[in-house]
Amino acid sequence: MEFKQINRLDQLYGCKLFLTKNELQDLKKTAFYQSQNRFIEITKPIKSDICQRCFNKIKINWKYPKNGIKYCWYCKDMGTIRSNDYLVIIKDPKQYLDNSKINWKGQLTLQQQKIANEQLIAWERKLNHLTYAVTGSGKTEILYPLINQVLLEKGRIALVAPRVDVVIELSQRIKKYFNGSMTVLHGEEHEIKYTQLLICTVQQLMKFHQTFDLIVVDEVDAFPLRNNKALEKVIEEAKRPQGVKYYLTATPSINLLRRVKHTNWKLSFLANRFHGYPLPIIQIYISPKWRKKLPIKIEKQLSKYQKNKRCFLIFVPQIEDLNLVKAMMPKSLSVATVYSKHPERSNNIKKLRSREINGLITTTILERGVTFSALDVYILGGDEVVFTYETILQIAGRCGRDAEYPNGNVWIFTADITLRMLRAKKEIQWLNSWRDHHSEL
């Protein structure tokens, strides 16, 4: 964060600033520094060749040839950090002005309430917690009692997700019921405010130091979080020393489950969707030449979308496949494309929600964290490596999330049947079976 971008220092409690020598001198001249310097710590931005923002190791060739000053290349998009700069930490005095809470009038199911109670008990005991819950189980609503309890105790909370789309949807859902101020940070939203509640992408936590009493990480198994030691360190550094971490996922890795088993983490499991209907079952069809011609089964299905109230997502393996498949779509349908750096990504998602278009052709960027009513999903090239077991499960989880439309198509078109898709199908069948045999719990 450059000093020239700082307009209101009193909004930056809990933040880290990376300043040049001149910027540091300017900071020391401000009235804020004069009155609040007891909350300010000044240290080095690179320690033992570790960047203190992204916590990656500085490579040996990352230095200027003339003076040997080191810099971090990993997080340069957030502003270059040099070894002769200064890291300024503004500690959080916890001086929150408003009494914020979530005023949600809905009612949790018995199964959801059980998980909510377990989360509250873990918070009371200051234990880390993993919620392993199927897609569409209502994980966000389950969090509301926990969030309100932490806010009541004057705690500071970060709700973290791996992708911008997830952050936007999560913030919009919570904003409907939240009576206070909150901060939303991602690649397109940069204004930091001094609030108790932050909703952000995981990279935005690099701006904070020992700030949050509770950090909730949604979709903890997703890229870029999965098996990323540096980002795990970022999360740990943004948490207060006595704070706790809550992880949410529908597809926990074996390593994560082992960590929970062998440490003092607590685990909650939920196999029920909030509306009580089972997860739609994956159907697999052999179609090796889909790049030349759409499978007949999809063509027949597409002809129905003009007349019914449903919409669709078609997942493809590569960005290059987007326009190829779009060119094969019926002219009677309105269809757009989406990928991670698509300039109209957010706008196209809005268009599908408002039914301005019939469907989206997308990469795996929309595999998780987005919800559409009355949705069918189709995977083309399901045997290609980008469609992992976890990805297939998440894509299937986009379907049937609306109580009015709890069913839908989850179709995979593939040249070969892989163990990944069979495992995903078997997992869904097992979850539905578990749900049927434990519905009274």
Side-chain angles (χ1 to χ4, degrees), residues 11-35:
Q11 297 299 305
L12 300 180
Y13 288 117
C15 290
K16 297 189 290 189
L17 313 180
F18 295 89
L19 307 180
T20 65
K21 183 177 181 179
N22 289 337
E23 289 170 342
L24 179 60
Q25 295 304 316
D26 289 339
L27 171 65
K28 289 182 176 180
K29 296 174 185 176
T30 63
F32 177 86
Y33 183 86
Q34 298 297 324
S35 64

mmCIF file of all heavy atoms in Angstrom, residues 11-35:
data_model
loop_
_atom_site.group_PDB
_atom_site.id
_atom_site.type_symbol
_atom_site.label_atom_id
_atom_site.label_comp_id
_atom_site.label_asym_id
_atom_site.label_seq_id
_atom_site.Cartn_x
_atom_site.Cartn_y
_atom_site.Cartn_z
ATOM 1 N N GLN A 11 -8.662 4.532 9.678
ATOM 2 C CA GLN A 11 -9.390 3.384 9.151
ATOM 3 C C GLN A 11 -8.494 2.157 9.008
ATOM 4 O O GLN A 11 -8.965 1.086 8.615
ATOM 5 C CB GLN A 11 -10.009 3.730 7.791
ATOM 6 C CG GLN A 11 -11.040 4.829 7.821
ATOM 7 C CD GLN A 11 -12.234 4.480 8.680
ATOM 8 O OE1 GLN A 11 -12.892 3.462 8.497
ATOM 9 N NE2 GLN A 11 -12.518 5.321 9.677
ATOM 10 N N LEU A 12 -7.195 2.307 9.326
ATOM 11 C CA LEU A 12 -6.218 1.256 9.021
ATOM 12 C C LEU A 12 -5.704 0.526 10.251
ATOM 13 O O LEU A 12 -4.643 -0.092 10.207
ATOM 14 C CB LEU A 12 -5.047 1.858 8.242
ATOM 15 C CG LEU A 12 -5.417 2.505 6.903
ATOM 16 C CD1 LEU A 12 -4.183 3.070 6.229
ATOM 17 C CD2 LEU A 12 -6.110 1.510 5.984
ATOM 18 N N TYR A 13 -6.440 0.593 11.357
ATOM 19 C CA TYR A 13 -6.054 -0.182 12.526
ATOM 20 C C TYR A 13 -6.038 -1.676 12.165
ATOM 21 O O TYR A 13 -6.975 -2.203 11.573
ATOM 22 C CB TYR A 13 -7.020 0.043 13.681
ATOM 23 C CG TYR A 13 -6.907 1.400 14.333
ATOM 24 C CD1 TYR A 13 -7.974 2.291 14.312
ATOM 25 C CD2 TYR A 13 -5.738 1.768 14.988
ATOM 26 C CE1 TYR A 13 -7.874 3.543 14.925
ATOM 27 C CE2 TYR A 13 -5.625 3.014 15.612
ATOM 28 C CZ TYR A 13 -6.700 3.896 15.569
ATOM 29 O OH TYR A 13 -6.587 5.127 16.171
ATOM 30 N N GLY A 14 -4.955 -2.334 12.546
ATOM 31 C CA GLY A 14 -4.812 -3.753 12.235
ATOM 32 C C GLY A 14 -4.101 -4.019 10.929
ATOM 33 O O GLY A 14 -3.867 -5.183 10.580
ATOM 34 N N CYS A 15 -3.733 -2.954 10.200
ATOM 35 C CA CYS A 15 -3.159 -3.113 8.859
ATOM 36 C C CYS A 15 -1.637 -3.038 8.860
ATOM 37 O O CYS A 15 -1.001 -2.539 9.800
ATOM 38 C CB CYS A 15 -3.710 -2.043 7.923
ATOM 39 S SG CYS A 15 -5.445 -2.281 7.516
ATOM 40 N N LYS A 16 -1.066 -3.526 7.757
ATOM 41 C CA LYS A 16 0.363 -3.414 7.493
ATOM 42 C C LYS A 16 0.565 -2.443 6.335
ATOM 43 O O LYS A 16 -0.106 -2.542 5.309
ATOM 44 C CB LYS A 16 0.954 -4.773 7.117
ATOM 45 C CG LYS A 16 0.857 -5.813 8.205
ATOM 46 C CD LYS A 16 1.646 -7.067 7.879
ATOM 47 C CE LYS A 16 1.043 -7.873 6.759
ATOM 48 N NZ LYS A 16 1.696 -9.190 6.607
ATOM 49 N N LEU A 17 1.514 -1.510 6.496
ATOM 50 C CA LEU A 17 1.866 -0.563 5.450
ATOM 51 C C LEU A 17 3.325 -0.781 5.075
ATOM 52 O O LEU A 17 4.182 -0.927 5.951
ATOM 53 C CB LEU A 17 1.675 0.881 5.917
ATOM 54 C CG LEU A 17 0.373 1.247 6.628
ATOM 55 C CD1 LEU A 17 0.386 2.723 7.009
ATOM 56 C CD2 LEU A 17 -0.817 0.927 5.752
ATOM 57 N N PHE A 18 3.612 -0.799 3.790
ATOM 58 C CA PHE A 18 4.985 -0.938 3.317
ATOM 59 C C PHE A 18 5.400 0.400 2.712
ATOM 60 O O PHE A 18 4.901 0.791 1.654
ATOM 61 C CB PHE A 18 5.085 -2.081 2.314
ATOM 62 C CG PHE A 18 4.795 -3.414 2.935
ATOM 63 C CD1 PHE A 18 3.497 -3.911 2.990
ATOM 64 C CD2 PHE A 18 5.816 -4.173 3.505
ATOM 65 C CE1 PHE A 18 3.220 -5.130 3.579
ATOM 66 C CE2 PHE A 18 5.543 -5.396 4.104
ATOM 67 C CZ PHE A 18 4.253 -5.872 4.148
ATOM 68 N N LEU A 19 6.306 1.109 3.396
ATOM 69 C CA LEU A 19 6.626 2.491 3.064
ATOM 70 C C LEU A 19 8.108 2.674 2.754
ATOM 71 O O LEU A 19 8.965 1.980 3.318
ATOM 72 C CB LEU A 19 6.244 3.416 4.224
ATOM 73 C CG LEU A 19 4.815 3.337 4.759
ATOM 74 C CD1 LEU A 19 4.631 4.329 5.895
ATOM 75 C CD2 LEU A 19 3.792 3.569 3.655
ATOM 76 N N THR A 20 8.382 3.633 1.867
ATOM 77 C CA THR A 20 9.762 4.047 1.644
ATOM 78 C C THR A 20 10.218 4.929 2.806
ATOM 79 O O THR A 20 9.410 5.321 3.669
ATOM 80 C CB THR A 20 9.887 4.841 0.337
ATOM 81 O OG1 THR A 20 9.149 6.069 0.473
ATOM 82 C CG2 THR A 20 9.343 4.044 -0.854
ATOM 83 N N LYS A 21 11.485 5.272 2.822
ATOM 84 C CA LYS A 21 12.029 6.123 3.889
ATOM 85 C C LYS A 21 11.326 7.475 3.917
ATOM 86 O O LYS A 21 10.958 7.978 4.987
ATOM 87 C CB LYS A 21 13.535 6.309 3.693
ATOM 88 C CG LYS A 21 14.195 7.119 4.797
ATOM 89 C CD LYS A 21 15.701 7.212 4.577
ATOM 90 C CE LYS A 21 16.359 8.011 5.700
ATOM 91 N NZ LYS A 21 17.843 8.105 5.512
ATOM 92 N N ASN A 22 11.108 8.077 2.735
ATOM 93 C CA ASN A 22 10.442 9.387 2.676
ATOM 94 C C ASN A 22 8.991 9.293 3.119
ATOM 95 O O ASN A 22 8.475 10.185 3.813
ATOM 96 C CB ASN A 22 10.524 9.959 1.263
ATOM 97 C CG ASN A 22 11.937 10.399 0.905
ATOM 98 O OD1 ASN A 22 12.753 10.674 1.787
ATOM 99 N ND2 ASN A 22 12.226 10.464 -0.396
ATOM 100 N N GLU A 23 8.305 8.207 2.722
ATOM 101 C CA GLU A 23 6.911 8.027 3.129
ATOM 102 C C GLU A 23 6.803 7.831 4.638
ATOM 103 O O GLU A 23 5.867 8.320 5.277
ATOM 104 C CB GLU A 23 6.304 6.826 2.384
ATOM 105 C CG GLU A 23 6.081 7.096 0.903
ATOM 106 C CD GLU A 23 5.710 5.839 0.131
ATOM 107 O OE1 GLU A 23 5.948 4.720 0.641
ATOM 108 O OE2 GLU A 23 5.200 5.967 -0.997
ATOM 109 N N LEU A 24 7.776 7.133 5.214
ATOM 110 C CA LEU A 24 7.779 6.945 6.659
ATOM 111 C C LEU A 24 7.959 8.279 7.385
ATOM 112 O O LEU A 24 7.286 8.548 8.396
ATOM 113 C CB LEU A 24 8.892 5.975 7.060
ATOM 114 C CG LEU A 24 9.031 5.706 8.564
ATOM 115 C CD1 LEU A 24 7.752 5.110 9.136
ATOM 116 C CD2 LEU A 24 10.226 4.800 8.841
ATOM 117 N N GLN A 25 8.839 9.121 6.859
ATOM 118 C CA GLN A 25 9.047 10.442 7.463
ATOM 119 C C GLN A 25 7.764 11.272 7.393
ATOM 120 O O GLN A 25 7.418 11.988 8.343
ATOM 121 C CB GLN A 25 10.199 11.163 6.770
ATOM 122 C CG GLN A 25 11.555 10.506 6.960
ATOM 123 C CD GLN A 25 11.922 10.316 8.425
ATOM 124 O OE1 GLN A 25 11.738 11.226 9.251
ATOM 125 N NE2 GLN A 25 12.416 9.134 8.761
ATOM 126 N N ASP A 26 7.046 11.173 6.246
ATOM 127 C CA ASP A 26 5.774 11.894 6.112
ATOM 128 C C ASP A 26 4.741 11.370 7.100
ATOM 129 O O ASP A 26 3.955 12.143 7.670
ATOM 130 C CB ASP A 26 5.242 11.763 4.675
ATOM 131 C CG ASP A 26 6.073 12.555 3.679
ATOM 132 O OD1 ASP A 26 6.778 13.487 4.109
ATOM 133 O OD2 ASP A 26 6.020 12.237 2.474
ATOM 134 N N LEU A 27 4.731 10.053 7.300
ATOM 135 C CA LEU A 27 3.800 9.462 8.262
ATOM 136 C C LEU A 27 4.055 10.003 9.668
ATOM 137 O O LEU A 27 3.116 10.335 10.405
ATOM 138 C CB LEU A 27 3.936 7.939 8.247
ATOM 139 C CG LEU A 27 3.176 7.179 9.344
ATOM 140 C CD1 LEU A 27 1.674 7.351 9.163
ATOM 141 C CD2 LEU A 27 3.551 5.700 9.362
ATOM 142 N N LYS A 28 5.308 10.116 10.048
ATOM 143 C CA LYS A 28 5.658 10.556 11.395
ATOM 144 C C LYS A 28 5.260 12.011 11.663
ATOM 145 O O LYS A 28 5.155 12.418 12.825
ATOM 146 C CB LYS A 28 7.153 10.363 11.630
ATOM 147 C CG LYS A 28 7.562 8.895 11.759
ATOM 148 C CD LYS A 28 9.052 8.768 12.046
ATOM 149 C CE LYS A 28 9.445 7.311 12.278
ATOM 150 N NZ LYS A 28 10.892 7.172 12.566
ATOM 151 N N LYS A 29 5.025 12.755 10.597
ATOM 152 C CA LYS A 29 4.630 14.159 10.746
ATOM 153 C C LYS A 29 3.124 14.324 10.943
ATOM 154 O O LYS A 29 2.650 15.414 11.277
ATOM 155 C CB LYS A 29 5.068 14.966 9.525
ATOM 156 C CG LYS A 29 6.576 15.049 9.339
ATOM 157 C CD LYS A 29 6.922 15.746 8.029
ATOM 158 C CE LYS A 29 8.426 15.732 7.755
ATOM 159 N NZ LYS A 29 8.745 16.337 6.442
ATOM 160 N N THR A 30 2.350 13.260 10.712
ATOM 161 C CA THR A 30 0.893 13.373 10.777
ATOM 162 C C THR A 30 0.406 13.451 12.211
ATOM 163 O O THR A 30 1.051 12.935 13.148
ATOM 164 C CB THR A 30 0.210 12.173 10.089
ATOM 165 O OG1 THR A 30 0.558 10.981 10.804
ATOM 166 C CG2 THR A 30 0.652 12.046 8.642
ATOM 167 N N ALA A 31 -0.753 14.066 12.386
ATOM 168 C CA ALA A 31 -1.381 14.144 13.711
ATOM 169 C C ALA A 31 -1.738 12.738 14.206
ATOM 170 O O ALA A 31 -1.680 12.462 15.414
ATOM 171 C CB ALA A 31 -2.624 15.028 13.643
ATOM 172 N N PHE A 32 -2.107 11.862 13.285
ATOM 173 C CA PHE A 32 -2.450 10.493 13.668
ATOM 174 C C PHE A 32 -1.254 9.819 14.339
ATOM 175 O O PHE A 32 -1.389 9.196 15.396
ATOM 176 C CB PHE A 32 -2.880 9.693 12.436
ATOM 177 C CG PHE A 32 -3.174 8.249 12.717
ATOM 178 C CD1 PHE A 32 -4.425 7.862 13.155
ATOM 179 C CD2 PHE A 32 -2.200 7.269 12.558
ATOM 180 C CE1 PHE A 32 -4.698 6.525 13.440
ATOM 181 C CE2 PHE A 32 -2.464 5.940 12.830
ATOM 182 C CZ PHE A 32 -3.715 5.573 13.273
ATOM 183 N N TYR A 33 -0.083 9.936 13.741
ATOM 184 C CA TYR A 33 1.104 9.293 14.312
ATOM 185 C C TYR A 33 1.445 9.890 15.679
ATOM 186 O O TYR A 33 1.775 9.157 16.623
ATOM 187 C CB TYR A 33 2.295 9.443 13.365
ATOM 188 C CG TYR A 33 3.540 8.735 13.844
ATOM 189 C CD1 TYR A 33 3.747 7.390 13.553
ATOM 190 C CD2 TYR A 33 4.487 9.403 14.621
ATOM 191 C CE1 TYR A 33 4.869 6.731 14.010
ATOM 192 C CE2 TYR A 33 5.617 8.751 15.088
ATOM 193 C CZ TYR A 33 5.810 7.417 14.780
ATOM 194 O OH TYR A 33 6.925 6.765 15.242
ATOM 195 N N GLN A 34 1.312 11.178 15.789
ATOM 196 C CA GLN A 34 1.650 11.843 17.048
ATOM 197 C C GLN A 34 0.756 11.379 18.191
ATOM 198 O O GLN A 34 1.205 11.237 19.336
ATOM 199 C CB GLN A 34 1.531 13.366 16.881
ATOM 200 C CG GLN A 34 2.471 13.956 15.845
ATOM 201 C CD GLN A 34 3.930 13.763 16.201
ATOM 202 O OE1 GLN A 34 4.305 13.810 17.369
ATOM 203 N NE2 GLN A 34 4.766 13.540 15.194
ATOM 204 N N SER A 35 -0.514 11.119 17.873
ATOM 205 C CA SER A 35 -1.461 10.734 18.928
ATOM 206 C C SER A 35 -1.576 9.223 19.115
ATOM 207 O O SER A 35 -1.998 8.754 20.173
ATOM 208 C CB SER A 35 -2.843 11.312 18.626
ATOM 209 O OG SER A 35 -3.362 10.754 17.426
#
